[in-house]
Amino acid sequence: MSYMGQQPLTVRTIFERMRTVYGDNLVIDALPEGTTRTTYRALADRVLRLVTVLQDLGVRPGDRVGSFANNSSRHVELYYAVPLAGAVLHMVNIRLHDDQLEHVISDAGDILLFSDDALSDRLTTLNLPSVRKVLTLGQDVEDLIAEAAPCEELPELTEEMPAGMCHTSGTTGMPKAVVYTHRSTYLHAMAACMVDALALSEQERVLPVVPLFHACGWGLPYAAPFTGAELVLVGSDTSPANLARVIAEEEVTWAAGVPTIWTGLLPLAADLPSLRTIGVGGAATPRALLEAYDRIGITILQIWGMTETSPVACTSRPRRRHHGLSAEELLDVRARTGTIFAGLEARIVDAAGEQLPWDGESVGELECRGPWVATDYWGGSPEKFHDGWLRTGDMARMERDGYFTIVDRSKDLVKSGGEWISSVQLEGACLAHPAVREAAVVGVPSRTWDERPVVVASLHEPLTLAELRTFLTGRVAKWWLPDELVVVEEVAKTSVGKYDKKVLRSQLAEMVLP
Ligand code: ADP
């Protein structure tokens, strides 16, 4: 006997709502080759045809199907068609090196790959033993869809079936895959839409600058259609000029991406009246960036998450107790990381795994758990998990009501004379200097102090180390003042646009400080 509905929580429910309730709402491809508009209804029709195509190609429930593509409505179609066919969409990061590509595709055992036409050459030279066929999303898929009837009887789906798979970007070692179930995908989409989370709604037009090939495009391909929010997909050109053009022409209201994207867009952002909210995550949002966007009437909403947390798990929205704070103090609050989403739990632990108090002072490793947090990697690799908790590798402090601040990734903390310097906080302080465009801090070996902080920066105008140190004095502790300033044209970034500390460390490999 059950008193409540027993419908399984699956991608199909999101799909049906998109198709019926929000069928008239738009999906806009603002691609380098031109802009085209479709509706969720038309997109859903293509999805059902694509399910038939997948079935005709021999895809069976549980099979892994890879995508190798930039952001487009065609990529969104795969987010639905593959799970609706009972199979698993494996989003392959197009910026990986050849050996990593071979590794992730064979690790997942993808039997089919769907590639952007412009990217498919990349795949031809690779050794991909599991892959039976590579289909281009333009030519091949259009031909197949044109001939296929919409699937009338979708396979039965259960909550626990895998729906998606994404490899971490592998900042240490080879990438490991996280597997998302229908249930986790559904719950993540719901939770992400809550008002104290991303607050997506039917009124928004959403531009995910975050790639759909990394961390599920932050779940936006599910969360937006679930609420009826419209989607704008921008393809391969995420240059500031193109983003500004698309946001203006398509009247985007809500955009999402890593901090470096918004640092780049800033000089053009004052002329974008439709844009109200930018979700910024993947790395800490510098306070100076929050402030600069506030000044032009665009609110940055800081988001924290990981591939392992589906990925969105926390936003920095000031709480009731922050009412009445000054504008400056509120900026400080928003520059912290925020409150874990309803449905998830977070805590901090010391090196021995003992829980640390929520006193706003103690710093420990952040752990979290919940129905859209991974409990293991694909193929099993349990070292980052215990008792249902994920060890995030992020060091944080918790205030008494669970408002937390990521101090740094444990591996990026600069260890100086037995004390820690937060590279993230020092970067934020450097970015407040008007001459600084980008700033990344890494620890460099020091004969006296073990490690000392070095700033690698790109600049708007000339700046010396002495000037930077003078500026930072009073803003950070004296012993945090950097020992070197290395000026570069552009700070090295990872495949998803974060400062690439591994590369920066190797660029500074020769440096030894006194
Ligand atoms: P990778 O570890 O390869 O970068 P992810 O994209 O999964 O892969 O990144 C997750 C990590 O990004 C987090 O563990 C954290 O270190 C960092 N991160 C994400 N959002 C934030 C944020 N708002 N503040 C600070 N760090 C963040």
Side-chain angles (χ1 to χ4, degrees):
M1 172 67 184
S2 161
Y3 291 102
M4 287 283 163
Q6 294 291 301
Q7 292 82 354
L9 312 180
T10 69
V11 169
R12 185 166 177 178
T13 311
I14 304 176
F15 174 75
E16 288 299 345
R17 187 166 179 87
M18 164 175 96
R19 186 173 74 86
T20 56
V21 177
Y22 302 126
D24 291 337
N25 291 14
L26 294 182
V27 180
I28 300 164
D29 277 312
L31 306 180
E33 55 268 31
T35 298
T36 50
R37 287 150 206 281
T38 187
T39 61
Y40 279 133
R41 184 178 301 105
L43 184 136
D45 177 73
R46 286 171 56 90
V47 166
L48 292 175
R49 290 172 197 275
L50 203 45
V51 174
T52 304
V53 168
L54 290 168
Q55 290 173 334
D56 290 350
L57 288 166
V59 172
R60 298 285 165 258
D63 286 343
R64 273 81 60 208
V65 173
S67 64
F68 193 69
N70 280 298
N71 292 6
S72 69
S73 64
R74 289 179 172 145
H75 203 167
V76 175
E77 286 163 14
L78 293 172
Y79 266 65
Y80 287 89
V82 174
L84 289 185
V88 186
L89 178 67
H90 175 218
M91 309 129 213
V92 179
N93 184 334
I94 62 169
R95 303 210 186 103
L96 296 181
H97 300 298
D98 286 359
D99 59 334
Q100 289 181 317
L101 277 179
E102 288 178 350
H103 167 78
V104 303
I105 292 169
S106 73
D107 182 44
D110 295 331
I111 60 165
L112 267 186
L113 282 178
F114 287 91
S115 165
D116 274 346
D117 297 46
L119 297 173
S120 61
D121 280 355
R122 222 13 250 289
L123 298 170
T124 52
T125 56
L126 301 180
N127 178 25
L128 305 172
S130 65
V131 177
R132 295 182 207 151
K133 224 182 176 88
V134 176
L135 295 164
T136 56
L137 281 168
Q139 195 58 47
D140 294 345
V141 170
E142 287 310 312
D143 290 350
L144 290 166
I145 283 187
E147 308 221 319
C151 176
E152 284 182 3
E153 211 160 316
L154 290 168
E156 192 143 331
L157 300 173
T158 65
E159 293 186 3
E160 289 311 324
M161 281 169 80
M165 181 187 263
C166 191
H167 280 80
T168 60
S169 54
T171 35
T172 49
M174 274 295 186
K176 297 191 183 73
V178 177
V179 179
Y180 309 102
T181 61
H182 277 269
R183 181 169 186 267
S184 71
T185 306
Y186 179 101
L187 291 172
H188 176 257
M190 275 205 118
C193 296
M194 287 174 79
V195 174
D196 281 330
L198 305 187
L200 292 185
S201 88
E202 208 254 348
Q203 308 297 311
E204 305 285 2
R205 189 172 273 181
V206 174
L207 170 68
V209 183
V210 38
L212 267 57
F213 59 72
H214 179 67
C216 318
W218 294 0
L220 293 169
Y222 297 119
F226 212 0
T227 58
E230 298 191 320
L231 275 174
V232 179
L233 291 313
V234 78
S236 58
D237 187 355
T238 56
S239 65
N242 193 48
L243 290 180
R245 181 188 66 80
V246 170
I247 291 168
E249 284 180 11
E250 303 306 334
E251 299 184 332
V252 169
T253 63
W254 205 105
V258 293
T260 49
I261 294 279
W262 311 112
T263 308
L265 186 75
L266 186 57
L268 307 172
D271 295 326
L272 304 174
S274 63
L275 189 60
R276 289 189 296 266
T277 312
I278 306 180
V280 181
T285 306
R287 187 184 188 279
L289 196 65
L290 288 167
E291 197 176 10
Y293 274 93
D294 273 2
R295 245 182 268 129
I296 51 176
I298 298 172
T299 303
I300 285 186
L301 172 66
Q302 181 170 197
I303 298 170
W304 172 86
M306 308 171 66
T307 305
E308 290 85 343
T309 63
S310 293
V312 181
C314 172
T315 48
S316 68
R317 290 191 186 270
R319 300 271 290 267
R320 180 178 283 272
R321 72 174 157 95
H322 299 119
H323 289 183
L325 292 185
S326 68
E328 287 295 308
E329 289 166 327
L330 274 177
L331 273 172
D332 290 337
V333 173
R334 287 167 55 213
R336 294 176 209 149
T337 313
T339 312
I340 202 85
F341 285 176
L344 301 183
E345 292 169 85
R347 65 183 193 183
I348 47 172
V349 300
D350 65 15
E354 290 298 319
Q355 278 199 66
L356 290 168
W358 294 15
D359 57 9
E361 303 272 328
S362 311
V363 173
E365 183 172 10
L366 183 73
E367 296 195 330
C368 66
R369 70 174 177 188
W372 61 96
V373 175
T375 51
D376 203 347
Y377 292 114
W378 170 252
S381 179
E383 62 284 352
K384 266 182 86 171
F385 310 91
H386 70 96
D387 311 315
W389 291 95
L390 163 71
R391 299 188 167 106
T392 66
D394 286 337
M395 304 302 287
R397 65 169 70 88
M398 283 269 181
E399 292 163 52
R400 63 183 155 73
D401 54 4
Y403 208 95
F404 66 90
T405 308
I406 306 272
V407 177
D408 214 337
R409 289 188 183 213
S410 53
K411 58 179 183 291
D412 292 339
L413 280 166
V414 181
K415 236 189 278 147
S416 173
E419 298 279 352
W420 282 345
I421 297 172
S422 159
S423 68
V424 170
Q425 281 169 28
L426 189 49
E427 285 161 9
C430 292
L431 278 166
H433 192 294
V436 177
R437 190 160 65 87
E438 306 173 308
V441 170
V442 288
V444 164
S446 150
R447 281 187 287 271
T448 320
W449 302 106
D450 196 8
E451 278 184 343
R452 287 295 301 155
V454 169
V455 179
V456 181
S458 68
L459 302 176
H460 294 298
E461 52 199 69
L463 178 72
T464 63
L465 173 67
E467 287 163 346
L468 180 63
R469 285 173 60 101
T470 306
F471 174 80
L472 291 172
T473 302
R475 293 171 188 255
V476 297
K478 190 147 174 282
W479 55 278
W480 283 35
L481 296 177
D483 285 24
E484 288 289 347
L485 168 64
V486 179
V487 177
V488 292
E489 197 62 32
E490 197 185 327
V491 177
K493 303 195 188 62
T494 68
S495 62
V496 291
K498 308 187 199 186
Y499 295 140
D500 195 331
K501 305 245 169 137
K502 203 163 61 170
V503 167
L504 294 176
R505 278 189 206 104
S506 71
Q507 285 171 353
L508 301 177
E510 307 288 297
M511 192 184 271
V512 178
L513 297 166

